Amino acid sequence: MEKTWAISGLDLHLELAGRKVRAGLEAALREAVRSGRLAPGTRLPSSRALAADLAIARNSVAEAYGQLVAEGWLTARQGSGTRVASTTAAAAAASPVAVSPVAVSPVAVSPAGPTAPAGRRPARYDLRPGRPDLSAFPRAAWLAAARKALTSAPSRALDYGDPRGRPELRSALAGYLARARGVRATPDRIVVCAGFTQGLALLCQVLRDLGVRAVAVESYGQPGTLECLTACGLKAAT
């Protein structure tokens, strides 16, 4: 049996293998803590929420939590929920690994199809690249987050800072990559880019300096990718 959990708000990816549900959940959580994907102090979902996401019995989750608390991997306090223990042998032994520059850009597909010629039924969805559903942009949430950030940010944050990106953002990305992607990286190994093209250009420059002369790319893709490779002195092999 294999189940995957990616709960909103925590973005944690779990895979339960084997026939014994409780043992599989214990092993998955234990490994997530041991590998550093779940940082010390991270709050886990309630047993009811996790059971619903995994479609398993709530008792199985509660028993798994209880066993990991007994082993010292997790802590449980009334009113504080279940959290990753602040100090564990796995956390102390964790070591960072390098990570490539990451560009995160969520895209929503527009439900409005393109204009179809007369006599033809219009497409239900427009799947052409570069045509996101702009009406789906979370304006209210964006404004609230921007207002909160500007209110609490120190004045120096408005000046030119670390070219790799704000330390707070890189720390948040490091935590997300560990939880959701299984990639352990320290904030100093992450570079925040203005977008995919800049990230690709930086990678191309590094590859060129390392002596790479050609890069394999898919036959179907954005024209800008090939242009970026050419501009950096690399050849595209399809």
Side-chain angles (χ1 to χ4, degrees):
M1 179 191 70
E2 292 187 359
K3 291 177 181 257
T4 296
W5 168 46
I7 188 171
S8 59
L10 188 59
D11 296 318
L12 176 64
H13 176 84
L14 288 180
E15 291 186 357
L16 307 188
R19 296 183 178 180
K20 297 183 178 180
V21 176
R22 173 185 163 183
L25 179 57
E26 288 179 15
L29 288 172
R30 191 182 292 112
E31 178 58 26
V33 177
R34 180 188 292 115
S35 64
R37 290 178 58 205
L38 279 176
T42 300
R43 182 171 181 172
L44 299 180
S46 66
S47 59
R48 183 188 302 276
L50 181 53
D53 286 325
L54 290 176
I56 63 177
R58 183 182 179 185
N59 287 343
S60 298
V61 179
E63 292 172 359
Y65 277 1
Q67 178 61 32
L68 294 177
V69 169
E71 294 178 9
W73 296 99
L74 305 178
T75 61
R77 294 182 180 180
Q78 187 67 28
S80 181
T82 304
R83 297 177 180 272
V84 178
S86 58
T87 56
T88 63
S95 57
V97 298
V99 63
S100 300
V102 175
V104 181
S105 56
V107 177
V109 177
S110 172
T115 303
R120 293 186 59 184
R121 185 176 180 180
R124 184 175 180 181
Y125 296 102
D126 184 357
L127 300 180
R128 289 178 294 179
R131 296 177 64 88
D133 182 7
L134 300 180
S135 65
F137 187 84
R139 297 172 185 259
W142 185 276
L143 287 174
R147 186 178 295 107
K148 180 179 179 181
L150 286 173
T151 301
S152 59
S155 298
R156 64 178 180 276
L158 304 177
D159 196 3
Y160 290 102
D162 194 318
R164 296 173 298 179
R166 291 291 305 171
E168 299 88 347
L169 176 56
R170 289 188 281 116
S171 296
L173 287 174
Y176 170 79
L177 290 172
R179 295 191 309 270
R181 301 294 180 87
V183 177
R184 293 177 55 203
T186 54
D188 63 306
R189 305 302 297 273
I190 293 177
V191 177
V192 179
C193 302
F196 171 79
T197 301
Q198 185 193 16
L200 178 61
L202 291 175
L203 285 175
C204 288
Q205 293 173 24
V206 172
L207 292 175
R208 182 193 59 197
D209 293 343
L210 292 175
V212 175
R213 293 294 176 263
V215 177
V217 297
E218 296 179 340
S219 298
Y220 298 96
Q222 295 283 0
T225 300
L226 299 178
E227 295 174 358
C228 182
L229 293 174
T230 303
C232 293
L234 299 177
K235 293 183 178 179
T238 58

